[in-house]
Amino acid sequence: MTNTRTTARPVLGRVLVAAGLLAPVLQVLGSWAAESTRLVVLLGAFGAAWPYWFALCALCAAGVRRLDVRRGVRETVTVLCAAGAVLLLFFRLVLFDVFSGGWEETQRIAAPGGGDRSVRIEQGSAMIDPLWRVSVVDGSGLTARSHLVASYDGNTGFHAVAWDGPDRLLVTDDGGTTTITLDPADGEPHRTIGTG
């Protein structure tokens, strides 16, 4: 008679390894879907790749520990996965803000006339240089979409953004004021300003 616990360990190990290997694939597909749809909920869930690579390391290490493989293989894979997880945590806790900009929403201005449209201003930094992002958020809840309007690095300073009607923005920077027209249906800008 086969021991159920002994049989369940390799099955659980295979499931954990498979889930770990699928995590980065899920992030790539989710990131593609987020960019295609511009849904805020998907942009938030799949915007950073590091949690999915951390899941790969953790799940594969846990899964290999339960598989019926040679001890040397188990230990090697576990050490490699643990090293990968530590490096990912180091990157997230120490270096992430340097490379990602450390974005923080500083202002949100609702469109005139009510509705579910607003302009969002985010500020970050690249080392010591300031960064700015201006985007339009259209809709609310799970159907909210975000469209980038302008991005600036430290060389060209962002000053302000204001509504000029429900479908027009006035973006002011060091070079003057630019009018951005938005699609009335979904708030997507007809053009963007980009220096960063």
Side-chain angles (χ1 to χ4, degrees):
M1 184 170 176
T2 307
N3 186 342
T4 307
R5 184 173 179 152
T6 307
T7 306
R9 279 181 60 86
V11 171
L12 177 60
R14 287 188 203 103
V15 169
L16 289 171
V17 169
L21 293 173
L22 284 175
V25 175
L26 176 66
Q27 194 277 328
V28 168
L29 294 175
S31 180
W32 173 80
E35 288 300 319
S36 299
T37 63
R38 303 302 303 163
L39 288 170
V40 173
V41 67
L42 293 180
L43 290 168
F46 298 107
W50 79 269
Y52 297 90
W53 288 98
F54 184 81
L56 167 74
C57 294
L59 291 171
C60 285
V64 166
R65 302 289 297 168
R66 286 163 177 77
L67 291 177
D68 290 329
V69 293
R70 288 191 326 232
R71 182 177 176 197
V73 172
R74 256 195 332 260
E75 289 177 358
T76 301
V77 171
T78 301
V79 166
L80 288 173
C81 288
V86 168
L87 285 173
L88 284 165
L89 285 177
F90 174 77
F91 172 75
R92 175 59 186 102
L93 297 174
V94 178
L95 302 175
F96 187 75
D97 288 342
V98 172
F99 292 109
S100 73
W103 296 105
E104 181 180 330
E105 184 175 319
T106 57
Q107 191 174 11
R108 191 178 284 234
I109 307 164
D116 284 334
R117 185 174 290 173
S118 60
V119 65
R120 177 176 60 193
I121 302 165
E122 296 171 285
Q123 189 169 0
S125 64
M127 301 297 242
I128 59 170
D129 294 328
L131 303 170
W132 294 273
R133 278 193 311 212
V134 178
S135 54
V136 170
V137 178
D138 189 70
S140 62
L142 296 177
T143 60
R145 296 178 189 277
S146 176
H147 301 285
L148 184 67
V149 173
S151 61
Y152 295 94
D153 59 21
N155 298 324
T156 306
F158 166 75
H159 295 288
V161 62
W163 288 99
D164 185 32
D167 302 320
R168 286 168 42 114
L169 288 171
L170 301 175
V171 181
T172 305
D173 56 33
D174 288 347
T177 299
T178 306
T179 301
I180 304 290
T181 304
L182 307 175
D183 185 325
D186 64 3
E188 184 173 3
H190 290 158
R191 60 177 271 199
T192 59
I193 303 169
T195 64

